[in-house]
Amino acid sequence: MSDTAPSPRSATPRTVLISGASIAGPALAYWLHRYGFAVTVVERAPELRTGGYKVDIRGAAIEVAERMGILEDIQRAGTDMQTGAYVNDDGKRIATLPADIFGARVGRDDEIMRGDLARILHERTRADVEYLFGDSITSLTSTTSTTLVTSVTSVTSTTSTTERADGHHEVDGVPDFDGVPDFDGAGGIDGVDVTFEHAAPRRFDLVVGADGLHSTVRRLAFGPEEQFVRHLGAYISAFSMPNELGLDREELYHALPGRLICAYSSAGDPAAKGLLAFRSPRLSYDHRDPQPQLTLLAAAFEGVGVEGSPGGGWGQVPRMLEAAREADDFYFDGMQLVEMDRWSHGRVVLLGDAAHCPSPASGQGTGMALVGAYVLAGELAAAGRAPEEAFGRYEKEMRGYAAANHALARKFARDMTADTRRQIRFRHLMMRILPHMPWKNLIAKKIAEDVQRAAHAITLKDYPVPNRAARPAPAAARPTYAA
């Protein structure tokens, strides 16, 4: 990083509201606090969500994690997956490879459960950042007479800003000096008035939507998600399940035409995880109501693995569907991209999946969230007075990276589910003979090539050294799980 630190900050820190306490939001909160911003994170869930599937940290995201000081925590909490195998209808392993080949991981690349990474980030920020759990944004309004987005009422700014002879500004008579950027209200916008479902209305200098694929902030500031979400022709579900297979850091896959089944266990977790994916055109359902989602999932796998069923399939599937109905961490959503012409509107900006979701097919969403948080915070800290300029530079830095990972997602979304049993048999054959090929390392490298290219499709800038040290966090041990 640069050796030039920001100037002393204003006595009144700039205020930022972040919607979403998964990965992107807390990661941004970490950096913004270090740069001297006053940060609030609002999260719809009543408490930190610690469920979810395993996620990869690779490429540029490894470098960001190292700069944050959390790389060792990630390594300690890693899944430590050892092998991956395809199984037949009887559950017999018919092709086995090292897990790193399945995950296209090389070098320092790592893998961690999403919930464990969320815990690490929350632990690093909870003492310095205000968290509002069990709440959500209901409207956003500019603090000038021009309404930024649809809301109940327009709010006219009551803030007076004057320029002093020394070039600095006074906001309601209070000098505002450089350090944390002086936000001048370019375009006539001084900030954003926010209303919540439960908390009292408040005013913030900036609002960040880090609230995922179905972002509330994006809907309020940019319009319905149908304008921006592109369906990749498949759906995916993930959930916890009893480890009846006795898996130990192993992932098992079973393929059927248009469908993929996976069960795995990670280090230290007595439970297993199930993953079911199926090809389908866009479906209509409430993304916040698990019951219709479970119905759609059951319909997609009806008869699979049932004894006597003409379609055959792994006999574990009926038990997986039952586990999905009982799981308290059930997840279901489409393989979808978010594509937008711009990621900011006035003082509102989008981050992570809300801005550029690459879908689970890419395996890059978590890494992109970490990288985007680093870039957005760094540009805001370096911007001086105009956040809109910071937003523009943030987009310029991230656009190519997002495009590379979108291309990866389009490719893998199709590859995840084979069209015919013949294609599946050919894939199994290639996996069986790969370990015996003299050029196996070259083939493994080729398998990982597209993923690695996308993971490294950004060169991280060195931003000014933060003007305060991050609060030290205790060394994170490997997470413990209830039996």
Side-chain angles (χ1 to χ4, degrees):
M1 288 188 174
S2 168
D3 293 330
T4 304
S7 307
R9 52 188 285 278
S10 165
T12 303
R14 303 298 82 184
T15 57
V16 181
L17 174 66
I18 301 172
S19 177
S22 180
I23 304 300
L28 179 65
Y30 168 89
W31 287 110
L32 289 180
H33 168 71
R34 291 192 66 183
Y35 286 121
F37 291 79
V39 184
T40 298
V41 178
V42 60
E43 167 58 46
R44 177 182 298 277
E47 58 187 8
L48 189 68
R49 294 181 293 115
T50 55
Y53 42 75
K54 53 191 178 69
V55 296
D56 287 292
I57 310 296
R58 55 165 71 95
I62 288 286
E63 188 173 347
V64 169
E66 190 167 44
R67 294 185 185 192
M68 293 179 74
I70 63 171
L71 182 57
E72 290 185 0
D73 294 338
I74 290 172
Q75 292 168 341
R76 278 190 290 267
T79 62
D80 194 31
M81 301 300 291
Q82 298 296 300
T83 60
Y86 272 90
V87 299
N88 61 14
D89 290 2
D90 298 324
K92 180 181 177 181
R93 291 158 178 78
I94 56 179
T96 301
L97 290 172
D100 282 351
I101 292 181
F102 269 85
R105 290 182 290 275
V106 300
R108 294 195 299 168
D109 293 358
D110 215 325
E111 184 182 66
I112 186 172
M113 300 304 295
R114 191 214 66 84
D116 292 336
L117 180 57
R119 275 192 289 262
I120 289 170
L121 293 170
H122 184 248
E123 184 66 31
R124 290 279 176 148
T125 56
R126 65 180 183 179
D128 303 308
V129 171
E130 178 187 20
Y131 279 89
L132 302 177
F133 285 101
D135 211 342
S136 183
I137 296 171
T138 56
S139 72
L140 303 170
T141 308
S142 69
T143 56
T144 68
S145 58
T146 302
T147 302
L148 177 62
V149 293
T150 302
S151 61
V152 178
T153 57
S154 296
V155 178
T156 302
S157 174
T158 58
T159 301
S160 63
T161 303
T162 59
E163 185 166 358
R164 305 182 341 159
D166 60 7
H168 292 294
H169 287 67
E170 290 185 357
V171 180
D172 286 343
V174 179
D176 189 14
F177 297 101
D178 292 337
V180 176
D182 297 331
F183 293 158
D184 278 352
I189 297 173
D190 299 311
V192 185
D193 281 346
V194 181
T195 62
F196 301 91
E197 287 186 3
H198 304 295
R202 293 167 63 176
R203 177 173 296 178
F204 295 89
D205 293 304
L206 302 175
V207 173
V208 182
D211 43 355
L213 173 65
H214 304 292
S215 168
T216 295
V217 171
R218 188 185 61 228
R219 175 175 55 80
L220 290 172
F222 296 87
E225 72 174 48
E226 290 76 17
Q227 299 179 45
F228 314 111
V229 175
R230 311 290 179 250
H231 185 57
L232 295 180
Y235 285 83
I236 187 170
S237 176
F239 45 87
S240 293
M241 56 185 272
N243 192 1
E244 297 176 354
L245 297 168
L247 300 175
D248 179 13
R249 296 166 297 163
E250 181 182 25
E251 47 196 328
L252 301 182
Y253 291 88
H254 181 77
L256 293 169
R259 287 166 289 190
L260 181 68
I261 300 104
C262 175
Y264 65 90
S265 74
S266 58
D269 189 351
K273 299 290 183 182
L275 185 148
L276 299 171
F278 62 95
R279 195 175 297 172
S280 170
R282 188 187 295 274
L283 300 171
S284 178
Y285 62 94
D286 183 348
H287 71 268
R288 290 185 181 153
D289 184 353
Q291 292 309 311
Q293 299 167 25
L294 287 162
T295 299
L296 292 171
L297 186 65
F301 287 87
E302 184 177 5
V304 175
V306 177
E307 189 174 353
S309 171
W314 190 15
Q316 186 70 18
V317 172
R319 290 190 287 275
M320 294 177 70
L321 291 172
E322 180 62 30
R325 287 189 287 270
E326 297 176 355
D328 60 6
D329 60 353
F330 174 74
Y331 166 86
F332 179 92
D333 215 328
M335 298 277 197
Q336 298 177 113
L337 302 179
V338 171
E339 297 179 327
M340 304 184 69
D341 292 335
R342 59 181 302 175
W343 300 335
S344 65
H345 185 169
R347 292 292 182 86
V348 179
V349 65
L350 302 176
L351 174 67
D353 281 356
H356 46 63
C357 177
S359 91
S362 73
Q364 286 288 96
T366 298
M368 292 180 70
L370 292 176
V371 172
Y374 170 81
V375 173
L376 177 56
E379 293 296 349
L380 283 169
R385 295 181 172 179
E388 291 85 352
E389 292 180 11
F391 295 161
R393 290 197 294 266
Y394 153 66
E395 286 200 34
K396 183 178 179 181
E397 292 296 311
M398 290 289 294
R399 279 290 179 182
Y401 183 48
N405 285 285
H406 279 194
L408 185 70
R410 292 188 185 94
K411 176 181 185 297
F412 282 178
R414 185 72 185 180
D415 291 349
M416 283 179 69
T417 53
D419 289 320
T420 65
R421 289 187 180 274
R422 183 177 180 180
Q423 289 179 336
I424 293 169
R425 286 194 297 268
F426 179 75
R427 183 178 298 177
H428 290 172
L429 174 63
M430 294 304 296
M431 292 183 63
R432 281 200 302 269
I433 66 176
L434 178 59
H436 308 290
M437 291 180 175
W439 54 86
K440 62 183 179 182
N441 291 334
L442 291 176
I443 295 176
K445 182 179 179 181
K446 182 63 177 177
I447 292 172
E449 194 172 80
D450 290 343
V451 175
Q452 291 298 319
R453 185 183 300 112
H456 289 86
I458 185 171
T459 300
L460 298 178
K461 292 169 63 174
D462 290 333
Y463 294 106
V465 175
N467 63 2
R468 63 176 65 189
R471 186 182 297 269
R478 178 172 294 284
T480 57
Y481 299 90

